[in-house]
Amino acid sequence: SFQRYCHASRLLRGLVPHTPGSLHLLDDDYLGQAAHMLSKVGTWNFDIFLFDRLTNGNSLVMLMCHLFNVYDLVHHFQLDIVKLHRFLGMVQEDYHSQNPYHNAVHAADVTQAMYCYLQEPKLAEQLSPLDVFLGLMAAAAHDVDHPGVNQPFLIKTQHHLASLYQNTSVLESHHWRSTVGMLRESGLLSHLPADMSGDIEAQLGSLILATDISRQNEFLSTFREHLDNQDLDLQLASHRHFILQIALKCADVCNPCRVWELSRQWSERVCEEFYRQGDLEREYDLEISPLCNQQADTVPVIQIGFISYIVEPLFVEWHRFTDPSPLSLTMMGHIHKNKACWNNLRSGSTGKGQMAPSAGAQGW
């Protein structure tokens, strides 16, 4: 089934030359290993880098197809499998592979984390098929067509996207509108009533816009207030949607919650993307953005600030929400271990700069 899928999806996107033997994209052994990994897709130590190699760079498409099968979403929503493959292929191709961090592998990683959160006992029994569909779709597309630079860079260079979205949630708005464009171009939802497809597009927007890091305190305060008042009612669609927003925010920044070997790779990738932006700013005589100066902002210092001001506060509340669950206990353990590792690396390095909370939030 994996081999059939690979052949079909690549051919649909016109990526395979029609030459003898060209359909053998992946060695059977690699496909077998990929299938074995998918059988354990709900485990927190899932190695998305290995999975991406085994699937020849098709980790996002293969993961989404598998999860849609797990939840029987194709049957439930009467989706056309060809249109689904076309849409997923478009999303994967619209990520910029040259970005060290904001690429299709990051999207696949966030999607796998989202699946783990959807499986949380506190949440799993309450979710409708639409909730699951929205959660997975938003995770897969949340950073599509990311340019590899942040919003302040787009604003100060007077990028057309900053003008289009009036300097507010510029990237997130673009990710959402790009997703809607691909949904319509692929015709994935064209068989649904107009009001239903419109509602799906709007809810996807609400989820993707929630990943704007500048709105972190807004969502965190609301989440904390709900938990303090014990008034979350997951039988209410609006409350389930809010928890999906929080789950996506958690999945988007969960790298420090992974095992050190995976977490460190993500940290180095995101800092490399920051440094590339800093090099661009230096080249064009612009003020170098916070966290983007490779000479002043070391990876350990950036990561310690990110964990302290963004990750820990969010996951402490998620920990409360899950009661806590075994997965939440595992993630909190990794956060503390990884932060200690970065502290040790900082102590052993020559650069010991400090990062203010505002700089951490702005830069990420």
Side-chain angles (χ1 to χ4, degrees):
S1 62
F2 275 95
Q3 205 159 16
R4 283 197 303 274
Y5 163 70
C6 275
H7 300 166
S9 66
R10 301 283 288 189
L11 283 169
L12 282 170
R13 288 182 278 147
L15 299 179
V16 182
H18 296 278
T19 55
S22 65
L23 291 183
H24 297 286
L25 298 175
L26 297 174
D27 184 274
D28 286 344
D29 185 50
Y30 279 78
L31 288 167
Q33 292 180 60
H36 178 69
M37 286 192 71
L38 282 177
S39 71
K40 300 183 178 181
V41 71
T43 58
W44 189 244
N45 62 350
F46 190 87
D47 187 342
I48 199 67
F49 298 112
L50 174 59
F51 184 68
D52 192 63
R53 291 193 296 271
L54 292 174
T55 58
N56 197 28
N58 282 291
S59 56
L60 182 58
V61 174
M62 281 201 165
L63 178 63
M64 281 291 284
C65 285
H66 176 74
L67 295 180
F68 268 51
N69 284 331
V70 168
Y71 284 108
D72 199 25
L73 295 177
V74 172
H75 178 262
H76 182 85
F77 291 102
Q78 295 296 294
L79 300 176
D80 183 317
I81 194 68
V82 173
K83 291 179 179 179
L84 176 62
H85 286 171
R86 183 181 297 131
F87 169 75
L88 294 175
M90 291 166 68
V91 171
Q92 182 172 269
E93 292 299 317
D94 229 22
Y95 278 95
H96 299 193
S97 59
Q98 67 269 28
N99 288 345
Y101 183 83
H102 288 105
N103 52 42
V105 185
H106 165 65
D109 185 61
V110 171
T111 302
Q112 190 271 335
M114 188 65 161
Y115 172 66
C116 291
Y117 300 156
L118 296 178
Q119 292 291 302
E120 285 283 23
K122 185 79 174 283
L123 200 52
E125 294 180 1
Q126 305 291 339
L127 295 175
S128 69
L130 179 59
D131 295 327
V132 173
F133 177 83
L134 290 167
L136 295 177
M137 291 281 279
H142 80 284
D143 271 333
V144 73
D145 199 33
H146 196 293
V149 293
N150 62 16
Q151 175 173 294
F153 181 89
L154 297 178
I155 292 173
K156 66 186 176 185
T157 56
Q158 299 181 326
H159 194 277
H160 73 276
L161 288 177
S163 302
L164 179 63
Y165 297 113
Q166 301 180 319
N167 299 344
T168 303
S169 297
V170 174
L171 288 169
E172 293 75 22
S173 297
H174 178 58
H175 304 323
W176 169 39
R177 298 314 305 180
S178 297
T179 303
V180 169
M182 288 183 284
L183 277 171
R184 295 179 181 181
E185 184 179 342
S186 66
L188 180 62
L189 307 180
S190 60
H191 64 293
L192 299 177
D195 58 340
M196 184 177 182
S197 60
D199 180 61
I200 288 174
E201 291 176 358
Q203 290 200 63
L204 283 173
S206 176
L207 291 171
I208 292 172
L209 289 172
T211 63
D212 184 348
I213 205 70
S214 69
R215 299 179 64 192
Q216 180 81 356
N217 289 336
E218 168 196 339
F219 279 96
L220 190 57
S221 297
T222 304
F223 192 27
R224 189 177 289 130
E225 186 176 332
H226 276 306
L227 294 175
D228 289 344
N229 295 335
Q230 298 183 338
D231 62 359
L232 276 172
D233 182 359
L234 296 181
Q235 293 187 357
L236 296 175
S238 60
H239 284 204
R240 293 199 306 275
H241 184 79
F242 175 73
I243 291 300
L244 285 177
Q245 290 177 311
I246 296 296
L248 182 57
K249 289 177 69 63
C250 287
D252 193 25
V253 298
C254 74
N255 301 150
C257 307
R258 301 284 193 179
V259 294
W260 171 251
E261 292 75 15
L262 298 176
S263 180
R264 182 171 185 171
Q265 287 186 68
W266 285 120
S267 299
E268 290 170 348
R269 284 168 175 258
V270 77
C271 288
E272 173 60 25
E273 195 163 296
F274 290 165
Y275 297 152
R276 288 187 186 184
Q277 177 177 318
D279 292 342
L280 269 179
E281 291 167 331
R282 188 179 294 108
E283 180 181 346
Y284 291 105
D285 293 322
L286 299 170
E287 180 183 355
I288 298 179
S289 298
L291 314 184
C292 295
N293 188 340
Q294 190 164 6
Q295 281 69 50
D297 304 310
T298 66
V299 176
V301 169
I302 291 173
Q303 290 307 306
I304 292 166
F306 177 58
I307 292 171
S308 300
Y309 302 121
I310 301 295
V311 177
E312 278 183 324
L314 180 60
F315 278 91
V316 163
E317 301 307 324
W318 183 260
H319 192 66
R320 289 174 62 196
F321 169 70
T322 62
D323 280 338
S325 69
L327 172 58
S328 184
L329 289 167
T330 297
M331 291 193 298
M332 293 303 292
H334 288 325
I335 289 174
H336 297 145
K337 289 176 184 176
N338 292 338
K339 188 176 181 181
C341 287
W342 288 120
N343 270 310
N344 289 336
L345 288 172
R346 180 179 64 171
S347 299
S349 64
T350 54
K352 297 184 181 180
Q354 298 297 317
M355 180 179 71
S358 59
Q362 180 74 5
W364 209 270

